[in-house]
Amino acid sequence: MSSDDKYTPDMTCCFTGHRDIPRSRYIETGERVKTEILRLYDIGVRRFIAGGALGFDMICSVVTHNLKLYKKDIFLTIALPCKNHDTGWSARDRAQLAALISRADEVIYVSESYDRECMFRRNRYMVDRSGYCISYCRKNGGGSFYTVSYAKKRGLIITDISGE
């Protein structure tokens, strides 16, 4: 049984947000993510899907993993656009992604290799399986804005924690 069969959209939340969150906002952002995950957990959400990008995705993955330590039935999926999507990242960032992947319950590669559309396919994959979305979206353009717009069209319940 795949996680898509086990977790319906009303039991699933995806994350989307910017890569360039100021370091000075990481702790505050992580606390807001934690609050929202626990709120959703209380209403039955168990699967959380992160996109494996730097910034907000990493924060969400770490917070979700840490919550799994005492909420044992939380399920973390990391959905990656392709197998080599961290090409060009620093060694430190690649190591952080590898650590998160090793602790995830499931890793999905939406494409075998990079192409112009793989990021959009990854974003649609996450939204299409979710009933909820926790976002950090402060710009009216880019991948996070596209994903939030798509999530609105799909009828997801969206909580933006960017403070805007």
Side-chain angles (χ1 to χ4, degrees), residues 6-115:
K6 183 175 179 182
Y7 298 100
T8 58
D10 65 321
M11 300 171 67
T12 304
C13 174
C14 63
F15 304 110
T16 188
H18 304 306
R19 290 179 176 89
D20 60 346
I21 296 173
R23 288 257 179 220
S24 62
R25 296 193 74 176
Y26 270 40
I27 293 173
E28 171 193 354
T29 301
E31 286 300 316
R32 287 180 177 185
V33 169
K34 179 180 176 182
T35 298
E36 285 305 310
I37 290 173
L38 290 173
R39 183 183 67 77
L40 292 172
Y41 183 90
D42 286 344
I43 62 170
V45 175
R46 295 297 184 266
R47 182 185 187 200
F48 295 87
I49 308 174
L54 297 171
F56 190 67
D57 285 356
M58 291 287 187
I59 292 169
C60 293
S61 297
V62 169
V63 170
T64 304
H65 170 65
N66 289 342
L67 286 171
K68 286 173 55 65
L69 298 175
Y70 64 97
K71 300 284 190 188
K72 302 290 187 195
D73 55 343
I74 286 179
F75 190 91
L76 174 61
T77 298
I78 297 185
L80 299 169
C82 59
K83 290 189 177 179
N84 60 343
H85 104 102
D86 61 355
T87 299
W89 289 17
S90 71
R92 181 178 138 236
D93 291 338
R94 290 178 83 154
Q96 184 179 10
L97 178 62
L100 292 171
I101 286 171
S102 73
R103 294 186 301 233
D105 296 297
E106 174 182 55
V107 178
I108 302 293
Y109 294 95
V110 178
S111 301
E112 192 64 29
S113 60
Y114 180 84
D115 65 59

Side-chain angles (χ1 to χ4, degrees), residues 1-9 47 49 106 125 129:
M1 174 187 292
S2 80
S3 62
D4 288 343
D5 295 331
K6 183 175 179 182
Y7 298 100
T8 58
R47 182 185 187 200
I49 308 174
E106 174 182 55
Y125 171 90
R129 285 151 181 81

Side-chain angles (χ1 to χ4, degrees), residues 142-161:
S144 298
F145 179 77
Y146 164 83
T147 305
V148 169
S149 297
Y150 182 67
K152 286 178 183 174
K153 287 179 192 169
R154 299 280 300 176
L156 273 66
I157 298 168
I158 301 165
T159 303
D160 181 71
I161 62 160

